[in-house]
Amino acid sequence: MVQTDEERKANLTQWAENLTKDVFLEWETKYSFWQQGFKVFYGPLAPEPELMIISLNPGRSHDTEKNFMNETYPAYKKGNFLIPLENGYVKSNGKIANKIKYLFQDYENILENSVVITVLLFRSKNIREWKKENPKNTRLPMEDYAYDKVKTIITKIKPKKILVIGMGTFKRLKDNNIIPITNEEILDSFGTVGKIKMAKMNQTSIIAIPHLSGAFISNENKNKIKKSFKKFMDK
């Protein structure tokens, strides 16, 4: 019997809750010293969405660390692995979320229905803190675990297009064989790390843009990114 869209979405959501539970058990049994915690999904899921957004890792502030240990962790202990009901970028008024919303002007519905994940599931203030505060003997296994889960997520969800935020994210996806990158080309470049890349994952189109938190991105280059993104979305 052919499943309805609602049935497929419900099954995918249940699968995602089970995967979140797996990550929680891995964290609790091996990596609970990393009290910043982790985050897997940033909003509701749908099979074969128009767009998947992949960034580097979940951010961390005093509040997010406190909320993880005081709110998220107790919920997980009770078996509550529910996926967020609203896209995190749409819901938030934070600095990065507002920059994403600017990028998605005229594509608000695509953003609202996008599936958002990170290549590293574990929280940190930035990648420097991740490397400095987490020794290799735990950091590298945590990264390998995250890569395996992210590969599973991408394979399961089958997005039609992928937006990669940050060249560091793109490099990890490529170098760790999380997705098979082909047809890689640089569309534009500016500054030392400002690049816009296009690539393919089988038949899935990929655009990689600089991390939008970068202070080096001028208004002119922000417009370049936006124009490249528009061309990508309109193909």
Side-chain angles (χ1 to χ4, degrees):
M1 182 180 294
V2 177
Q3 290 184 323
T4 66
D5 288 346
E6 286 303 313
E7 287 172 334
R8 291 176 69 205
K9 188 173 182 178
N11 289 339
L12 187 63
T13 299
Q14 183 62 60
W15 170 85
E17 290 174 5
N18 291 337
L19 187 142
T20 302
K21 180 180 179 180
D22 290 344
V23 177
F24 167 69
L25 294 174
E26 184 80 0
W27 173 85
E28 186 181 43
T29 56
K30 296 181 181 179
Y31 308 122
S32 59
F33 72 91
W34 195 256
Q35 294 201 351
Q36 290 94 321
F38 65 89
K39 191 172 182 68
V40 183
F41 298 104
Y42 291 74
L45 306 182
E48 300 175 29
E50 290 297 322
L51 185 71
M52 174 178 280
I53 303 174
I54 308 176
S55 59
L56 186 56
N57 74 320
R60 193 260 315 161
S61 66
H62 173 70
D63 285 340
T64 54
E65 182 175 343
K66 182 176 66 175
N67 290 344
F68 183 84
M69 294 307 298
N70 293 340
E71 297 175 17
T72 307
Y73 176 66
Y76 286 167
K77 286 294 287 183
K78 292 177 181 178
N80 181 357
F81 298 99
L82 295 179
I83 305 304
L85 297 176
E86 187 176 4
N87 184 289
Y89 287 130
V90 174
K91 183 178 180 180
S92 173
N93 285 314
K95 182 179 177 182
I96 298 299
N98 287 334
K99 290 183 177 183
I100 290 289
K101 289 173 187 174
Y102 170 77
L103 182 68
F104 276 83
Q105 284 176 348
D106 300 325
Y107 301 97
E108 288 86 356
N109 188 59
I110 297 289
L111 176 60
E112 185 176 348
N113 293 289
S114 65
V115 172
V116 182
I117 61 173
T118 59
V119 72
L120 293 174
L121 305 179
F122 302 97
R123 288 192 180 279
S124 64
K125 184 177 180 180
N126 50 47
I127 205 67
R128 290 186 300 276
E129 180 189 71
W130 173 249
K131 291 180 177 180
K132 181 180 178 182
E133 302 296 332
N134 195 355
K136 277 188 176 182
N137 66 313
T138 50
R139 172 166 50 86
L140 295 183
M142 290 170 80
E143 290 181 357
D144 287 341
Y145 179 80
Y147 298 154
D148 181 66
K149 289 300 181 187
V150 170
K151 187 173 185 177
T152 298
I153 291 167
I154 296 169
T155 302
K156 179 75 173 180
I157 291 178
K158 297 181 175 63
K160 295 175 182 175
K161 293 182 177 181
I162 297 175
L163 166 64
V164 178
I165 300 177
M167 290 301 116
T169 308
F170 184 82
K171 180 173 171 52
R172 285 177 185 259
L173 289 169
K174 178 182 176 182
D175 292 354
N176 295 284
N177 299 311
I178 299 170
I179 56 179
I181 298 287
T182 59
N183 299 80
E184 181 181 345
E185 61 175 316
I186 297 174
L187 292 184
D188 209 339
S189 60
F190 40 87
T192 55
V193 293
K195 291 184 176 65
I196 304 170
K197 290 185 175 183
M198 291 283 289
K200 284 279 193 179
M201 179 190 74
N202 301 319
Q203 298 303 310
T204 302
S205 296
I206 300 169
I207 187 170
I209 64 173
H211 200 287
L212 298 173
S213 64
F216 66 90
I217 304 178
S218 66
N219 288 333
E220 178 185 357
N221 290 330
K222 287 176 185 175
N223 287 330
K224 285 184 180 180
I225 294 170
K226 192 171 184 179
K227 286 180 181 178
S228 294
F229 179 68
K230 176 176 173 55
K231 185 181 290 188
F232 169 77
M233 292 304 301
D234 290 347
K235 274 188 176 181

